[in-house]
Amino acid sequence: MRIGLLTEGGYPYVSGEARLWCDRLVRGLEQHEFDIYALSRSQEQEDAGWLELPPQVNRVRTASVWSGGPGSEDGARGGTLGRRVRRRFASLYEELAAAVVRGPGGETGGANGSGGEADRFATALYGLAELAREAGNLGPSLRSEAAVRILERACRAPGAQRTARAARVPDLLAFAGHVERALRPLSLDWYQDASGGFGGDGLASVDLCHATSGGAAALPGLLAKRFFGVPLLVTEYGVQLRARYIAAGDAELSAPVRALLAAFHGLLAAEVYRQAAVITPGNAHARRWQERCGADRAKLRTVHPGMEASRFAEVGEREEPGEPDTLVWVGRIDPSKDLISLLHAFAEIRKEEPKARLRIVGAMPARHVAGGADRDHSSDHDAEVYLGHCKALAAQLFPDEAEGIHAVGENPVSFEELGAPEAPDLADVYGAGGVVVLSSVVEGFPISLVEAMFCGRATVSTDVGAVVEVIGGTGLVVPPRNPRALAEACVALLRDSGRRERLGAAARARALELFTVEQNIAAFHSIYLEIVSHCPVRRDALDDAGKPLPFAHPPEAHVPGRWTAAATGGIGGSWLAGRSTSTGAPSWASDIGAPGVGAAGIGVAGVGAAGDMGGAVGGVGGVGGGEREQLAGVTPGRGEGDA
């Protein structure tokens, strides 16, 4: 099949988000063809270039969401709006603005974006898309004085949110600029009609759109579904709406702008979730966010990120357990990692285990590695300041110690940089320690924990993000910002080598079962086949002369109704809630799968219904035998399986 892979700020660029798992996915599914539709986020990202693409990538089309305005070089369609088109634009923009200022929880809408305002937003959005398809680039109109006046009237109208009513002209100008950038994909030339043929250009020619995130990346998929009936798959390893909320707070925007942006992105996310055939969160933490933002639970399939396990195979298969008195922390130096609590916890550990050592291994700053050109340098500066503060605290808590009067004093806490001579390889860093520690207060999918599990190391982690789901009973989990509980858990493992080995072996088995590249590729391959089998794109076949080809489609493709009996769940029945109004199977198919005698007197038994093709991708059970430990303030990891 032909897949349209939709990205924003990532693949195929060498820098950005989701580039690694996208590259592994494309290379792993070599039996399919891929068209890449990428939105870039900065000039530096574009200058850094692309990854080397495999042969199954047919074409790459790019556009920017960072420049002053879309032009022909960015894939936007040119054109000047006439008077009639401007009136039509004003009418549609008024509907969009009215839905936004009332918010997802308006008079007839629910908190999750459902109801009248969500429908009003969707109608205006698709109307603007149709207008852009007919008239060309909408960028100047979305930034125009007329658009700002429409926003001002909407904010002053009855029913607007209280925060929106406080918006002033500078706030409206800022919000209009954000909306223009968010809706820039509407004006791209990615939606040419295939003229009824299979060889058309753009998204009309793909069998499935796979958006690697929500927001702007999923917007072309929405339009492909609207214009051509192409099904949409949305994958979010980090929920885009949550990231928007955090970014709005960090950008120091005014309260009215933050409220309007939250309403706009909330309505857009609700529409993406509503139109998607399947939504694949990367963990239960992201899944809960998606459900709160309006995603239908029946469409959600958890697909854990796939990580390369081979680089850790040697360490994981070693019989020696590493240095038994050494704790290892690996990650990005950042206040959210709460190294301050880790240092205070280590001070408590040293009281119980005087020979204990702590290795803090930080990732190399992004500006020093390939692909880090688009990183905000202010964040690197903040990381360096935070690292300096941590080193000062370590020097204060742990003065240099020496075993004898003739020995050189040494601090039990070492700060190392990954790739430096003291920590050249990530696998060796994990292998050198007896226990791996994670002390974060904010965490999405804990990559460092999975790497430690591949290496067969026992872990102590804080209960944040998807940590509990990843650990699944193979490590100790403590509350965040609790140095005493963290210290007690570490001391318990440092004193019991047999327990460390058992937990490490169980952790490695769990990681190899759930978090490998192979399971990720197999899961998406199954989901691709499932979606295309349930939602095929209907296209007219053409002959070499461009004329319709008679009898190109089998007659059963036109049989009305569903081919399976009504089901209570699973793939064959309600997995696409609301897609069909049929209440059951046609009469000629109702007896399939039941024992009986056919017209020729032949019993039919055990025949699977047609709708059951392409089985479900369910959660994989965790490894049994995980220890059930209980300490003061320490709880064992709890699995969070999917329903």
Side-chain angles (χ1 to χ4, degrees), residues 313-324 427-428 430-435 455-458 497 500-501 504-505 508:
E314 180 185 355
V315 176
E317 294 171 359
R318 291 178 187 171
E319 294 185 2
E320 60 270 17
E323 299 178 14
D428 291 335
Y430 289 116
V435 177
C455 294
R457 292 298 177 260
S497 60
R500 291 199 307 270
E501 292 178 7
R508 185 167 187 267

Side-chain angles (χ1 to χ4, degrees), residues 541 543 547-553:
D543 58 17
K547 297 181 179 180
L549 189 64
F551 308 110
H553 297 291

Side-chain angles (χ1 to χ4, degrees), residues 4 25 54-55 59 140 216 224 242 295 343 359 420 451 453 461 464 523 547 556 561 591 620:
L25 178 69
R59 69 159 66 95
R242 177 177 179 269
L343 292 172
R359 294 182 64 183
E451 293 171 342
M453 293 167 71
S461 318
V464 292
K547 297 181 179 180
E556 57 266 23
D591 291 333
V620 182

Side-chain angles (χ1 to χ4, degrees), residues 16 59 141 148 157-158 170 228 286 295 317 393 403 418 457 476 614 621 640:
R59 69 159 66 95
S141 298
V148 175
F228 316 115
E317 294 171 359
L393 178 61
E403 295 183 359
L418 187 62
R457 292 298 177 260
L476 300 184
E640 290 188 33

Side-chain angles (χ1 to χ4, degrees), residues 425-507:
D425 184 72
L426 188 59
D428 291 335
V429 170
Y430 289 116
V435 177
V436 176
V437 186
L438 184 141
S439 56
S440 302
V441 294
V442 176
E443 193 74 46
F445 186 83
I447 294 176
S448 62
L449 278 188
V450 178
E451 293 171 342
M453 293 167 71
F454 281 136
C455 294
R457 292 298 177 260
T459 59
V460 176
S461 318
T462 49
D463 188 2
V464 292
V467 165
V468 168
E469 180 185 5
V470 168
I471 292 299
T474 65
L476 300 184
V477 180
V478 301
R481 292 194 177 97
N482 193 332
R484 183 180 297 274
L486 187 63
E488 291 179 358
C490 291
V491 168
L493 291 183
L494 289 174
R495 289 178 173 175
D496 193 340
S497 60
R499 188 179 178 193
R500 291 199 307 270
E501 292 178 7
R502 293 193 302 272
L503 289 175

